[in-house]
Amino acid sequence: MGLKMQGHHHLVAVSLSDQQLGTKRKYTSYIPRTNQGKYLALWIIAFGFVAVHVYRCIDAGHQQRIQEGLVSMCDQRARMLQDQFSVCVNHVHALAVLVSTFHYYKNPSVIDQETFAEYTARTAFERPLLSGVAYAQRVMDSQREDFESQHGGTIRTMANKEPSPHRDEYAPVIFSQETVSYLNLLDMMSGEEDRENILRARSTGKAVLTSPFKLLGSHHLGVVLTIPVYKSKLPPNASVRDRIEATVGYLGGAFDVESLVENLLGQLAGNQEIIVKVYDVTNMLDPLIMYGRQAQYGDLTRLRVSPLDFGDPFRKHQMTCRYLHKAPISWTAITTAFLGYVIVFLAGYMFYTGAIHIVQVEDDFDTMQQLKVRAEAADVTKSQFLATVSHEIRTPMNGILGMLALLLDTDLSSTQRDYAQTAQACGRALITLINEVLDRAKIEAGKLELEAVPFGLRSILDDVLSLFSEKSRNKGIELAVFVSDKVPQIVMGDPGRFRQVITNLVGNSVKFTEQGHIFVQVHLAEHSKAVQDAKVDNCMNGRSNSCQLKTLSGREAADDRNSWDKFKHLIADEEFPFQVLTSDGSSQNVKLMVSVEDTGIGIPLHAQKLIFMPFMQADSSTSRHYGGTGIGLSISKCLVELMGGQISFISRPQIGSTFSFMANFKRCEKNMVSDPKRSLYDDLPTAFKGLKATVVDTKHIRAAVTRYHLKRLGVLVEVVTSIRTAVSVLGSGQPDMILVEKDVWLSGDDLSSIQAFGPVLKSPKMILLATNITGDEFDKAKASGFSDTLIMKPLRASMVAACLQQVFGAGKKVEQGKVMANGSVYLRGLLCGKKILVVDDNRVNRRVAAGALKKFGAEVECADSGKAALDLLQIPHGFDACFMDIQMPEMDGFEATRRIRLMERQANEQQTNGSIDGSCDTPTTTEWHLPILAMTADVIHATFEVCQKSGMDGYVSKPFQEENLYQAVAKFFESKPATNS
Amino acid sequence: MNPLTHLSSYVHKKTPKLSEVNLRFLNSKAKTGVPLWLLGFGAVRLRTDMNRLLSLLFHQGVLDEQFLQLQQLQDQTSPNFVSEVVTIYFHESEKQLRNLRNILLDREMWDYVKLGIHLNQLMGSSSSIGAKRVRNICAAFRTAVEQNNRSACMRALEVLEHEYCYLKNKLHELFQIEQQRVLGDAVRYPGVVHQQ
């Protein structure tokens, strides 16, 4: 079976996950899911181009600046050169004017060579560009001899400085600056350039320049400036002929262009950076270099040409500038572009890794979601598995238990019986464990919800006590419960879970206690706390000696605060209602403090921390010795926390433990109790109201417990500590009964004194209270006067009532104490003669259910569908109960129940509205409410809540099991005894 | 994993019929020509056989304790309770099985709702009489139905029918023995026989 279940389980998980895997992603992704690498490359390349473009833009600006620099430098140089040149020309012009004025207009001439030389030398600074000036006179060939004789020398040629051959005209230098004194008497017309110059100058009357040529006496290139000197002032519009006629000489100066420019450039900043060349471009096709080397070097890419105007219209000059070095690479541009590119590249890489990361995260997320779905599926499967498995285990376990029970009924040897009993005990433990594990699983899954229904706390406590009465009696433990009067009769909460916690705690206590007592107390939390705080000093003082006798059984308990010292005050407060704390009446919440005190083995100190952990027991020997799993306390803890409280304990090894917990309940208003059928109040007979009782007990707490139970029955109680005192009081009060504790009676007080009163007065009923009693003692007790009755502890109000009924002979004899003894017999008693409707669509199930119910004496009728059931249940009907299958086609159990309830409600309304006629044959007081029990094979889903929601009163699991049936049925038929039997 | 692989364990290996030998013995004619059991002999043996058969069925997991509960419900007031219930069960189950087969063979329609209802019925009644294995196969069948696995369903149906036949045979065998026992018991008390 296990194998099969696993397979099943696995399959469910797989099928779910397959479904999930098939579904598509539900979100849109803005990130490319593939080829991120390609996108990155594209990005890098694109931005590579962008970077180059940026570089170009920046570089162009840079180049332009360089170019502008070149232009401005070049222009500047050209301008300066031109300026200086024109200054020189002007000055030479001035010299020409000087010569004409002083040499020709004055007669005789006031200028001779010396004067000229000195003057020119002294004014040389005015002509920095000129290496020297000289004046050549125009000498016609006819005048040659005169001239030669006048000047004492021959006219020589420039080329070889020999006497010039005969020509038409000569231009011998007569005046010369010192620097060019070698020119003296040289015929200027003998040089080619000079001659041309002279001719051009005299015809134009302006300063003219030669093309550059190597200067005489220096290796530098130079130009010669020639200005004509006329013997008379010429009119501005003089003709060429007139000019030539008027010419008397020529003033010339040699410009040493090379040194001139050199000099000029030297004055300027940035001289080193550029190469300057000066050309004579009169003949555009063949520019003649005036300055600079012919070879092309420097930065060939940039060139600036600036025109030069040296005042000679015939000749054209220009200056070209180049950078010496190639323009440096623009580092800014490169850096900017490169850095920008790097940044963009990094950004791209970031996006790339980001995208990859996002994709990965998304994939992971996807996987996670799938896993989550799987996990959820697994969780669902787990709970299914748990439900199924628990059912699968429970069913055979019930079989085992049943068989063992049958086996125990047979004739067995004592050893066999022992074995069988052990097996049975183990089986029971296993079933409990399974239930607990299921509970725990439910709590962990958060599926456990507390209901809030009104319930009577006291009756639940009584029930729990009755569960353990057998065990405690066998062990001789005193088991008692005490509920403070302040605790409301009915509170809202989850009775089932409350009962579970109490059962667990008391069960533990019973398990671990061999002698002494177990004492359950319920107080209002605030009340208890107030008293506790006030009395804490007293307790501390009284701890050493006096506590010994002040607990329930006289044994020391772990928590001293529960001793009589405190208890006294709790009770004392109750007797003075005006001291009730202020918040009591107003608040909607009731916080209860429940404590369970025992005198058991206690919890070892080292284990105290672990006690609320699941499956944790003090030590392994504990489980061996006492059994159990240790899951109970952890469940209790969870439950208490769900109830809004907390659980705590005080324990002293070998002395005992006291578990106490707080829980929140709601106060229940009386009118909220909607369901009158459910016995919320204690179903206690009121017949004893007003009776008086005397309790003889030496132990105060025990007496208080007895009084509590009697008080609930309405009996007035007086507590005395000995029989003698009781007797002494007898005369005045005349109690109706005297309840004597067994140990008081055994301690020696005899009853003869009471007996002595007997004849005089109507003797009070003598009742013995005992935890356990042997046959001998019983006989003895009977003999000594307790003929009336014996009440076995633990005390329960209902049981006490039953006993009193027996004693006083009032009412019916309800043997409540024996009720639990034999379920089967009791079940028979409960069901005997009842008319029960079984609704199930399955014929076999119907038959089996009917058979089972018939076996217990019930009269069974069957219906095969919800509709049939409805027909049968038309009011009025004679059914006492209905068992309803939940899963039925057409109309399921819940629906059918709802309809039945609706019918009942209508009938009830009719009945109350106006029905004197309808009430003749049926008892008027009872309303229609048919107990409907669900039958289900599904254990985990068939929670009581679901059933209740649709109006059902309970459920039994299918297939029918005696115990189960008993539990479910007992709830309804216990309170109202069978009428037919 | 195939949901039905584990079902193969339910297909019985040849199980020894424990009571076979005994039956042969009991049915063998005595010298009188009357079967032995009619003579009231072997009543104890019949009882043992019954117990053995029962325990075998329990051991195989064919039945569970619910069957015992059923037997407990049988008393003087309803002497034939078990056989009555089981007869109803067989009657109903055969109907269900027929329905299941029809639904499964219907190629066009795949009415798994109906399948589920029939299976639930069969499961419910099986668990009521304690036919554990039939119930378990029903559960597996239901899983197959939920998974919409038609071939698995067919297989499950076959296993189910096989198992059902087995159960039927065994229970018939059981009732046969019981009948013999009752008759044998009656032989001891001629008065009862007379009454019958």
Side-chain angles (χ1 to χ4, degrees):
Chain A
M1 193 63 216
L3 180 75
K4 186 202 151 218
M5 282 312 299
Q6 268 180 357
H8 179 75
H9 165 102
H10 185 63
L11 271 166
V12 171
V14 165
S15 70
L16 277 170
S17 63
D18 281 346
Q19 273 174 17
Q20 279 303 319
L21 284 170
T23 60
K24 283 178 185 170
R25 238 181 274 282
K26 286 180 189 90
Y27 50 85
T28 51
S29 175
Y30 299 102
I31 301 287
R33 298 200 62 80
T34 50
N35 295 333
Q36 291 98 341
K38 286 182 188 168
Y39 284 106
L40 178 66
L42 203 66
W43 171 277
I44 286 170
I45 290 166
F47 276 92
F49 284 119
V50 169
V52 168
H53 180 70
V54 165
Y55 169 74
R56 289 220 175 117
C57 285
I58 298 174
D59 195 46
H62 179 69
Q63 298 293 344
Q64 200 186 342
R65 269 195 307 283
I66 290 172
Q67 183 70 36
E68 279 168 3
L70 183 66
V71 167
S72 72
M73 268 153 77
C74 196
D75 286 353
Q76 187 191 11
R77 276 160 183 70
R79 208 168 45 245
M80 281 183 73
L81 186 63
Q82 200 179 304
D83 287 351
Q84 292 217 353
F85 201 91
S86 60
V87 165
C88 290
V89 170
N90 288 343
H91 212 269
V92 173
H93 222 119
L95 268 180
V97 173
L98 182 88
V99 169
S100 70
T101 310
F102 290 101
H103 189 57
Y104 295 106
Y105 297 168
K106 296 281 184 204
N107 207 2
S109 164
V110 289
I111 296 178
D112 58 359
Q113 164 64 29
E114 279 154 44
T115 322
F116 187 84
E118 194 178 342
Y119 180 78
T120 50
R122 284 174 67 178
T123 55
F125 70 92
E126 296 266 28
R127 307 174 301 273
L129 304 181
L130 289 170
S131 49
V133 287
Y135 176 71
Q137 194 176 358
R138 184 181 181 199
V139 179
M140 304 307 285
D141 191 39
S142 56
Q143 298 164 342
R144 182 173 172 172
E145 279 176 27
D146 293 345
F147 177 81
E148 281 180 343
S149 61
Q150 188 186 345
H151 284 279
T154 52
I155 298 171
R156 288 166 296 164
T157 61
M158 280 176 81
N160 39 25
K161 299 193 175 151
E162 281 173 6
S164 164
H166 285 282
R167 298 181 187 208
D168 292 346
E169 191 176 352
Y170 309 94
V173 172
I174 53 172
F175 304 137
S176 63
Q177 201 179 340
E178 208 97 41
T179 49
V180 288
S181 54
Y182 55 87
L183 289 174
N184 218 359
L185 292 182
L186 284 184
D187 182 9
M188 281 299 133
M189 301 262 288
S190 61
E192 187 67 24
E193 274 90 7
D194 287 325
R195 181 188 163 82
E196 254 177 56
N197 232 21
I198 286 168
L199 293 180
R200 210 151 48 84
R202 72 183 183 198
S203 61
T204 58
K206 285 183 178 165
V208 295
L209 291 170
T210 61
S211 59
F213 62 97
K214 279 241 160 87
L215 285 179
L216 208 66
S218 91
H219 299 291
H220 292 178
L221 280 172
V223 289
V224 172
L225 171 79
T226 309
I227 296 174
V229 177
Y230 301 103
K231 60 179 166 226
S232 60
K233 277 178 194 157
L234 286 172
N237 53 352
S239 67
V240 173
R241 192 170 187 81
D242 290 343
R243 281 175 213 260
I244 294 169
E245 289 289 309
T247 304
V248 285
Y250 322 96
L251 194 66
F255 281 95
D256 180 353
V257 179
E258 219 166 331
S259 54
L260 170 78
V261 176
E262 203 83 54
N263 208 2
L264 179 76
L265 294 182
Q267 294 168 14
L268 289 170
N271 193 26
Q272 308 298 323
E273 291 171 17
I274 57 174
I275 300 163
V276 178
K277 286 182 185 172
V278 181
Y279 291 96
D280 181 336
V281 288
T282 311
N283 183 359
M284 286 298 275
L285 298 174
D286 180 24
L288 297 169
I289 192 155
M290 288 167 74
Y291 172 75
R293 262 173 270 171
Q294 189 70 45
Q296 296 282 332
Y297 65 99
D299 183 9
L300 297 180
T301 54
R302 276 185 207 84
L303 175 72
R304 169 65 188 181
V305 178
S306 304
L308 286 172
D309 179 16
F310 287 149
D312 180 355
F314 181 72
R315 295 214 169 264
K316 290 198 177 87
H317 298 87
Q318 67 180 30
M319 179 184 267
T320 62
C321 297
R322 286 180 200 280
Y323 278 105
L324 179 59
H325 302 291
K326 287 210 165 162
I329 306 159
S330 166
W331 284 110
T332 352
I334 289 184
T335 333
T336 312
F338 182 71
L339 285 182
Y341 185 60
V342 164
I343 289 169
V344 170
F345 175 80
L346 287 178
Y349 187 71
M350 244 165 64
F351 287 139
Y352 170 69
T353 47
I356 285 182
H357 186 69
I358 287 171
V359 166
Q360 194 180 356
V361 166
E362 276 176 357
D363 287 351
D364 286 356
F365 175 72
D366 237 37
T367 326
M368 291 296 168
Q369 275 211 322
Q370 281 166 13
L371 289 178
K372 186 179 156 242
V373 166
R374 277 192 207 191
E376 279 165 359
D379 198 45
V380 169
T381 326
K382 188 186 106 185
S383 63
Q384 283 174 351
F385 176 74
L386 260 180
T388 326
V389 160
S390 70
H391 182 74
E392 295 295 337
I393 299 176
R394 263 190 242 201
T395 321
M397 274 315 291
N398 281 330
I400 293 172
L401 288 181
M403 290 303 106
L404 282 168
L406 290 181
L407 184 64
L408 281 170
D409 284 345
T410 57
D411 202 11
L412 294 174
S413 76
S414 62
T415 331
Q416 285 170 331
R417 180 167 295 278
D418 183 38
Y419 292 165
Q421 274 169 345
T422 315
Q424 196 178 25
C426 292
R428 284 210 179 106
L430 185 55
I431 289 269
T432 330
L433 171 64
I434 291 161
N435 289 340
E436 282 174 344
V437 166
L438 255 185
D439 254 5
R440 171 103 204 149
K442 258 181 158 183
I443 292 173
E444 271 172 2
K447 279 182 188 151
L448 195 93
E449 279 175 10
L450 294 185
E451 50 178 353
V453 295
F455 69 98
L457 203 76
R458 290 171 175 80
S459 56
I460 284 196
L461 286 170
D462 280 356
D463 285 357
V464 174
L465 238 61
S466 71
L467 272 180
F468 295 102
S469 56
E470 188 76 32
K471 265 187 193 166
S472 69
R473 230 174 266 159
N474 289 343
K475 281 187 170 180
I477 309 168
E478 186 115 30
L479 181 60
V481 63
F482 180 88
V483 180
S484 160
D485 282 359
K486 289 215 175 63
V487 177
Q489 285 288 325
I490 294 170
V491 291
M492 296 275 282
D494 191 330
R497 298 305 170 180
F498 181 71
R499 182 203 295 261
Q500 195 178 351
V501 175
I502 298 282
T503 311
N504 183 263
L505 292 179
V506 174
N508 269 350
S509 291
V510 170
K511 202 194 289 179
F512 294 116
T513 306
E514 295 304 327
Q515 48 191 327
H517 68 266
I518 293 158
F519 186 27
V520 183
Q521 297 177 70
V522 183
H523 297 284
L524 285 180
E526 45 202 2
H527 184 199
S528 149
K529 199 164 174 262
V531 172
Q532 208 162 309
D533 290 346
K535 300 303 161 197
V536 75
D537 305 337
N538 295 357
C539 278
M540 295 312 279
N541 296 341
R543 179 178 175 161
S544 53
N545 45 12
S546 56
C547 280
Q548 280 284 333
L549 289 169
K550 291 185 176 177
T551 59
L552 185 67
S553 66
R555 284 175 64 90
E556 197 181 356
D559 190 358
D560 299 334
R561 289 171 299 179
N562 282 342
S563 68
W564 174 244
D565 285 329
K566 178 198 162 196
F567 203 73
K568 197 163 56 187
H569 290 284
L570 282 172
I571 298 173
D573 281 350
E574 276 166 22
E575 284 165 357
F576 301 104
F578 48 84
Q579 282 187 349
V580 162
L581 293 168
T582 49
S583 59
D584 261 7
S586 56
S587 154
Q588 268 299 308
N589 284 326
V590 190
K591 194 163 195 179
L592 295 185
M593 166 92 180
V594 184
S595 67
V596 179
E597 172 188 287
D598 69 48
T599 57
I601 57 167
I603 303 161
L605 292 174
H606 65 88
Q608 291 195 357
K609 277 181 196 160
L610 306 171
I611 211 77
F612 289 117
M613 304 250 283
F615 297 108
M616 202 51 92
Q617 279 193 336
D619 62 66
S620 53
S621 65
T622 314
S623 51
R624 235 176 290 141
H625 198 258
Y626 296 99
T629 55
I631 200 175
L633 273 177
S634 81
I635 291 173
S636 299
K637 185 168 187 278
C638 292
L639 289 175
V640 167
E641 277 163 4
L642 277 174
M643 289 183 210
Q646 65 269 359
I647 192 164
S648 65
F649 68 96
I650 294 174
S651 180
R652 281 152 69 194
Q654 305 311 321
I655 288 171
S657 319
T658 303
F659 280 84
S660 47
F661 69 89
M662 310 252 213
N664 279 327
F665 294 97
K666 285 242 162 63
R667 212 173 272 281
C668 179
E669 281 142 30
K670 300 275 188 262
N671 52 8
M672 276 174 68
V673 183
S674 54
D675 192 353
K677 275 281 175 183
R678 295 185 63 186
S679 56
L680 296 170
Y681 296 90
D682 302 331
D683 282 327
L684 296 176
T686 50
F688 310 106
K689 215 157 225 171
L691 290 184
K692 286 183 198 161
T694 305
V695 173
V696 183
D697 197 345
T698 49
K699 286 171 185 152
H700 300 293
I701 292 187
R702 194 167 59 185
V705 172
T706 314
R707 186 163 65 173
Y708 154 72
H709 287 294
L710 288 173
K711 237 175 149 181
R712 284 171 66 194
L713 296 173
V715 179
L716 300 174
V717 182
E718 197 176 349
V719 179
V720 294
T721 47
S722 69
I723 294 174
R724 246 171 250 292
T725 343
V727 169
S728 67
V729 182
L730 263 185
S732 57
Q734 179 58 293
D736 298 297
M737 58 193 130
I738 298 176
L739 296 99
V740 183
E741 279 290 337
K742 193 182 98 180
D743 55 352
V744 178
W745 165 61
L746 286 178
S747 67
D749 277 342
D750 60 6
L751 304 157
S752 51
S753 44
I754 297 174
Q755 298 297 324
F757 274 96
V760 184
L761 302 160
K762 183 190 159 212
S763 79
K765 304 286 182 186
M766 299 298 293
I767 298 168
L768 189 64
L769 299 171
T771 313
N772 53 352
I773 195 160
T774 58
D776 288 350
E777 282 172 333
F778 187 64
D779 291 343
K780 196 175 156 201
K782 264 202 168 159
S784 58
F786 290 107
S787 50
D788 296 322
T789 197
L790 165 77
I791 298 182
M792 290 296 284
K793 289 188 179 180
L795 292 181
R796 284 182 295 131
S798 55
M799 193 189 69
V800 172
C803 291
L804 292 184
Q805 263 173 352
Q806 197 186 334
V807 172
F808 290 98
K812 287 180 184 173
K813 287 177 186 173
V814 183
E815 298 176 334
Q816 301 248 3
K818 290 180 184 170
V819 155
M820 303 296 285
N822 191 335
S824 183
V825 171
Y826 182 63
L827 197 57
R828 194 176 175 84
L830 279 180
L831 289 174
C832 192
K834 300 276 183 194
K835 199 170 169 197
I836 291 175
L837 179 66
V838 173
V839 187
D840 197 329
D841 62 318
N842 193 319
R843 233 176 112 197
V844 180
N845 286 356
R846 214 154 58 216
R847 185 69 190 90
V848 173
L853 289 169
K854 265 180 192 157
K855 192 191 171 197
F856 296 116
E859 198 181 313
V860 181
E861 204 155 316
C862 296
D864 62 351
S865 72
K867 278 195 182 141
L870 280 180
D871 292 343
L872 280 170
L873 287 174
Q874 289 296 335
I875 291 169
H877 58 73
F879 291 104
D880 293 300
C882 173
F883 284 84
M884 180 86 74
D885 185 29
I886 290 176
Q887 274 190 327
M888 284 186 295
E890 290 175 58
M891 188 189 292
D892 69 3
F894 293 130
E895 178 59 28
T897 309
R898 269 192 287 276
R899 296 213 184 166
I900 292 167
R901 289 288 176 247
L902 190 71
M903 267 164 35
E904 281 173 346
R905 217 172 303 136
Q906 284 164 354
N908 287 339
E909 273 165 19
Q910 276 178 7
Q911 204 171 52
T912 44
N913 283 349
S915 58
I916 307 153
D917 51 335
S919 61
C920 49
D921 47 9
T922 50
T924 50
T925 47
T926 54
E927 291 187 316
W928 287 105
H929 184 97
L930 181 74
I932 298 178
L933 294 157
M935 293 192 292
T936 173
D938 198 350
V939 182
I940 204 164
H941 295 123
T943 43
F944 187 59
E945 292 89 14
V946 183
C947 296
Q948 237 181 6
K949 226 176 261 170
S950 51
M952 292 185 175
D953 301 273
Y955 69 94
V956 289
S957 66
K958 256 192 323 192
F960 273 168
Q961 269 145 19
E962 200 172 283
E963 204 174 317
N964 226 325
L965 194 63
Y966 163 68
Q967 279 174 357
V969 168
K971 276 186 202 160
F972 304 98
F973 298 125
E974 190 171 25
S975 49
K976 37 180 183 178
T979 45
N980 295 18
S981 60
Chain B
M1 180 172 156
N2 192 318
L4 287 173
T5 47
H6 55 267
L7 283 182
S8 58
S9 61
Y10 288 106
V11 179
H12 303 283
K13 285 146 203 161
K14 195 170 183 243
T15 46
K17 276 193 171 180
L18 280 184
S19 52
E20 223 167 63
V21 184
N22 292 324
L23 275 178
R24 215 175 295 140
F25 160 71
L26 286 167
N27 286 329
S28 62
K29 308 284 188 300
K31 280 176 184 166
T32 51
V34 182
L36 266 180
W37 54 267
L38 271 181
L39 294 177
F41 302 127
V44 180
R45 194 180 279 264
L46 279 169
R47 197 176 281 273
T48 336
D49 279 345
M50 236 176 89
N51 286 341
R52 267 194 202 165
L53 183 57
L54 262 182
S55 67
L56 173 77
L57 290 178
F58 270 81
H59 185 69
Q60 285 176 342
V62 174
L63 291 178
D64 64 10
E65 70 290 336
Q66 188 59 33
F67 189 76
L68 293 181
Q69 299 250 353
L70 214 61
Q71 283 190 322
Q72 275 174 37
L73 292 179
Q74 178 167 308
D75 55 11
Q76 267 71 35
T77 53
S78 52
N80 287 322
F81 181 72
V82 176
S83 63
E84 186 189 335
V85 169
V86 169
T87 312
I88 300 173
Y89 171 73
F90 284 144
H91 185 251
E92 292 284 311
S93 301
E94 259 150 40
K95 213 163 65 190
Q96 309 286 9
L97 281 173
R98 218 170 27 243
N99 285 335
L100 285 175
R101 182 160 274 280
N102 285 340
I103 293 171
L104 274 180
L105 287 179
D106 190 353
R107 288 272 161 209
E108 291 98 66
M109 286 277 288
W110 172 250
D111 193 349
Y112 66 90
V113 179
K114 252 187 193 166
L115 269 181
I117 291 172
H118 288 308
L119 273 173
N120 267 341
Q121 288 269 356
L122 193 55
M123 236 168 111
S125 44
S126 300
S127 63
S128 266
I129 68 149
K132 185 175 162 194
R133 246 171 30 189
V134 173
R135 201 195 76 83
N136 288 343
I137 294 165
C138 284
F141 196 167
R142 200 167 55 178
T143 315
V145 171
E146 277 161 12
Q147 286 174 345
N148 243 335
N149 189 342
R150 194 186 269 259
S151 63
C153 285
M154 285 307 295
R155 248 175 299 160
L157 183 65
E158 273 157 23
V159 178
L160 188 60
E161 279 172 344
H162 177 271
E163 193 55 51
Y164 173 74
C165 285
Y166 184 76
L167 178 76
K168 195 173 176 181
N169 288 339
K170 285 296 167 188
L171 286 181
H172 273 308
E173 203 176 311
L174 194 71
F175 289 135
Q176 200 184 345
I177 301 174
E178 188 166 16
Q179 224 167 4
Q180 286 174 14
R181 187 174 62 79
V182 171
L183 285 180
D185 279 354
V187 170
R188 278 191 189 166
Y189 308 101
V192 181
V193 176
H194 186 70
Q195 273 176 8
Q196 278 179 342

